[in-house]
């Protein structure tokens, strides 16, 4: 009898020993997501908010770094905190605007998904699309497959989407013809664009502007001689090295290239612009000098060249010199193009400047040279390699 009682006691102990780990395991499984959120630093109240969300949204919090929650609760919201954080970072808007945008988007989310726009696609589109743009897509019944070719092409402008689709042109051609017809300066400027890029093929001219505060962060002095009246011999580092090599090779041919003008700040260009309008009529002045913000010199990629023969009075202008004849044949080998040829003034919108050379890199320069193109024609052939934004 005592043995039976002892066996029962041992059995109970065994059951207890086994059941405790099992219960702990069950607890861990059932509360695993809560433990994961605790490890990320979410408070108990924030955990409750997250765990009540749909599985898809809940996973964002479990799989990514901690996101801010409390700051958005100053405003009535639908608890889409992961997207609030994402959109605030990319848009730089205040929290109230962020909450309004994201909550409005979620009201359209199902309709967009029916048209093939999954949440990750939409998050990317939020960089360009406002809520009315998303509504337009739904109202026009534009599927993602219809929009995708245009959206994935650099230079895409949301406001012009309907015209792109109605044009029946390939995406690049639709975008260039609808949004940027004035790449060819013989066409009217229909709007103005801000450009923020470090790419060497950037197109700057009337209608295409850099910010007044823009200054390249890799400007260096070009180590070649300068004209007596040269006030700045700085260029971006890669362009500077290429010009130094070109001048060195020209010197081997007893040709002496000098810099007359290189980088100009926005304020420097403003001074030049104002000066030209004091000595020429408005039409002539406008054809000879770039509007501040549209000058290639501000990019740090352009240089006005001269020669020692011009400095010594043997030649009147650089275009008359042997140096010019050599540079015009060889500049592309170093990554430079003659930016404003004599026979392309209607296209470029700028009078012939035989002294003005632009760095675009060897590959692009060679293609432009071999096809007798301008930078405009290169863009029209290949499209933009960077994004543009409508100037406000």
């Amino acid at each position: 009898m005592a043995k039976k009682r002892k066996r029962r006691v041992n059995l109970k102990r065994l059951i207890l020993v086994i059941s405790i780990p099992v219960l702990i395991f069950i607890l861990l499984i059932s509360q695993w997501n809560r433990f994961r959120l605790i490890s990320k630093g979410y408070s108990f109240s924030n955990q409750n908010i997250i765990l009540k969300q749909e599985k898809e949204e809940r996973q964002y919090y479990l799989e990514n770094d901690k996101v801010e929650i409390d700051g958005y609760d100053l405003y009535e919201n639908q608890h889409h905190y992961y997207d609030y954080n994402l959109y605030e970072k990319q848009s730089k808007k205040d929290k109230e605007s962020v909450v309004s945008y994201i909550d409005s988007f979620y009201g359209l989310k199902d309709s967009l998904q029916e048209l093939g726009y999954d949440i990750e696609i939409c998050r990317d589109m939020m960089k360009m699309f406002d809520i009315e743009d998303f509504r337009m897509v739904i109202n026009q019944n534009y599927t993602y497959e219809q929009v995708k070719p245009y959206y994935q092409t650099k230079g895409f402008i949301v406001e012009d989407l309907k015209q792109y689709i109605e044009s029946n042109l390939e995406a690049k051609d639709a975008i260039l013809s609808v949004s940027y017809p004035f790449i060819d300066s013989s066409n009217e400027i229909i709007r103005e664009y801000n450009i923020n890029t470090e790419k060497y093929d950037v197109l700057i001219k009337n209608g295409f502007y850099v910010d007044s505060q823009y200054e390249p962060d890799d400007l260096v002095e070009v180590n070649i001689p300068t004209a007596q009246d040269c006030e700045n011999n700085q260029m971006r580092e890669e362009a500077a090295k290429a010009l130094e090599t070109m001048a060195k090779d020209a010197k081997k041919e007893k040709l002496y290239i000098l810099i007359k003008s290189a980088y100009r700040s926005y304020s420097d260009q403003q001074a030049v612009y104002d000066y030209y309008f004091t000595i020429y009529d408005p039409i002539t002045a406008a054809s000879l000098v770039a509007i501040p913000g549209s000058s290639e010199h501000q990019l740090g990629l352009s240089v006005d060249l001269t020669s020692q023969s011009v400095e010594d009075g043997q030649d009147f202008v650089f275009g008359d010199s042997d140096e010019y004849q050599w540079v015009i044949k060889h500049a592309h080998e170093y990554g430079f193009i003659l930016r404003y040829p004599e026979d392309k003034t209607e296209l470029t919108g700028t009078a012939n400047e035989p002294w003005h050379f632009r760095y675009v890199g060897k590959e692009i320069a060679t293609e432009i040279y071999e096809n007798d193109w301008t930078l405009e024609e290169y863009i029209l052939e290949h499209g933009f390699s960077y994004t543009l934004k409508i100037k406000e």
Side-chain angles (χ1 to χ4, degrees):
M1 192 72 179
K3 288 182 179 181
K4 288 183 178 180
R5 189 180 302 112
K6 187 176 182 180
R7 278 199 295 269
R8 283 197 296 269
V9 170
N10 288 339
L11 182 60
K12 289 180 180 179
R13 286 177 179 171
L14 180 61
I15 293 172
L16 185 62
V17 168
I18 294 173
S19 62
I20 289 174
V22 170
L23 289 171
I24 292 173
F25 179 75
I26 293 172
L27 179 64
L28 284 171
I29 292 297
S30 64
Q31 297 297 316
W32 178 240
N33 285 341
R34 188 176 291 278
F35 287 126
R36 290 172 69 185
L37 294 173
I38 289 172
S39 70
K40 293 177 183 292
Y42 288 104
S43 67
F44 188 79
S45 59
N46 287 344
Q47 293 167 33
N48 289 338
I49 292 172
I50 293 169
L51 293 172
K52 288 178 181 177
Q53 297 195 34
E54 296 293 329
K55 181 179 179 181
E56 182 184 26
E57 274 197 79
R58 191 164 62 239
Q59 287 302 115
Y60 303 144
Y61 303 92
L62 295 170
E63 296 173 0
N64 294 280
D65 293 336
K66 182 183 178 183
V67 301
E68 181 184 356
I69 291 181
D70 296 330
Y72 298 102
D73 284 338
L74 296 172
Y75 313 97
E76 184 177 349
N77 69 78
Q78 297 172 9
H79 309 307
H80 303 297
Y81 300 106
Y82 180 78
D83 282 293
Y84 298 156
N85 278 261
L86 282 181
Y87 187 64
E88 183 177 1
K89 287 177 182 177
Q90 72 183 32
S91 70
K92 309 299 182 185
K93 293 182 179 179
D94 62 84
K95 284 182 169 54
E96 185 174 15
S97 299
V98 166
V99 168
S100 175
Y101 177 94
I102 294 298
D103 287 354
S104 296
F105 164 78
Y106 268 86
L108 306 174
K109 179 171 170 283
D110 290 345
S111 296
L112 289 165
Q113 286 185 323
E114 289 174 5
L115 292 170
Y117 301 85
D118 66 33
I119 186 62
E120 293 304 326
I121 290 169
C122 289
R123 283 176 179 143
D124 189 61
M125 295 176 81
M126 287 176 188
K127 297 171 185 175
M128 298 184 185
F129 281 57
D130 61 28
I131 294 302
E132 290 307 311
D133 295 327
F134 281 120
R135 287 199 179 102
M136 179 272 292
V137 165
I138 294 169
N139 292 337
Q140 294 294 329
N141 208 36
Y142 290 149
T143 67
Y144 181 60
E145 287 306 308
Q146 284 179 283
V147 172
K148 181 179 177 181
Y150 308 104
Y151 176 69
Q152 292 186 340
T153 301
K154 298 293 186 183
F156 171 80
I157 299 296
V158 183
E159 288 89 332
D160 297 335
L161 176 59
K162 186 176 181 181
Q163 288 177 266
Y164 298 156
I165 292 175
E166 291 176 351
S167 74
N168 291 317
L169 296 171
E170 292 294 323
K172 172 183 70 71
D173 295 329
I175 287 171
L176 293 179
S177 63
V178 170
S179 302
Y180 310 98
F182 49 96
I183 288 174
D184 180 341
S185 293
S186 64
N187 294 323
E188 180 185 359
I189 296 176
I190 59 173
R191 61 165 73 109
E192 297 179 331
Y193 293 94
N194 279 330
I195 297 171
N196 182 15
T197 180
E198 295 292 306
K199 286 185 172 287
Y200 295 129
D201 63 343
V202 62
L203 180 68
I204 297 294
K205 59 189 294 181
N206 287 355
F208 301 91
Y209 303 96
V210 288
D211 187 78
S212 61
Q213 303 303 312
Y214 174 77
E215 178 180 322
D217 59 8
D218 59 347
L219 288 173
V220 296
E221 290 191 356
V222 187
N223 189 24
I224 70 171
T226 60
Q228 290 184 359
D229 59 351
C230 177
E231 296 181 353
N232 196 318
N233 69 335
Q234 289 184 308
M235 297 186 73
R236 289 183 59 186
E237 186 172 11
E238 185 174 317
K241 289 180 178 178
L243 182 54
E244 289 170 358
T245 303
M246 184 166 72
K248 182 179 179 181
D249 290 347
K251 190 175 181 180
K252 295 174 183 176
E253 305 291 327
K254 298 189 182 330
L255 300 169
Y256 303 96
I257 298 171
L258 284 64
I259 293 177
K260 189 170 182 66
S261 179
Y263 170 74
R264 286 187 213 133
S265 67
Y266 183 94
S267 58
D268 289 339
Q269 185 65 24
Q270 183 71 60
V272 173
Y273 185 79
D274 292 342
Y275 172 71
Y276 269 68
F277 272 80
T278 64
I279 60 175
Y280 295 104
D281 64 88
I283 295 176
T284 303
S287 70
L288 293 174
V289 63
I291 296 170
S294 68
S295 169
E296 290 200 329
H297 285 280
Q298 191 178 346
L299 296 175
L301 295 172
S302 289
V303 61
D304 293 342
L305 297 177
T306 187
S307 63
Q308 192 61 51
S309 62
V310 173
E311 285 289 288
D312 294 341
Q314 297 170 12
D315 291 310
F316 183 63
V317 293
F318 183 63
D320 296 334
S321 68
D322 291 339
E323 283 82 356
Y324 170 76
Q325 294 301 325
W326 185 89
V327 170
I328 204 70
K329 292 178 182 177
H330 297 283
H332 66 282
E333 299 168 11
Y334 305 90
F336 288 91
I337 59 171
L338 176 66
R339 183 63 184 91
Y340 304 117
E342 186 174 11
D343 60 344
K344 302 287 182 78
T345 57
E346 188 174 8
L347 176 63
T348 64
T350 301
N352 175 226
E353 294 186 3
W355 55 84
H356 184 108
F357 286 81
R358 162 70 186 275
Y359 185 79
V360 293
K362 290 182 184 180
E363 184 177 343
I364 295 174
T366 298
E367 184 175 354
I368 288 174
Y369 176 80
E370 290 177 347
N371 288 283
D372 191 28
W373 285 344
T374 60
L375 182 56
E376 282 83 357
E377 289 164 303
Y378 175 84
I379 298 291
L380 289 170
E381 176 67 21
H382 293 284
F384 292 106
S385 64
Y386 49 88
T387 57
L388 300 91
K389 184 178 179 181
I390 296 175
K391 187 176 181 182
E392 297 178 355

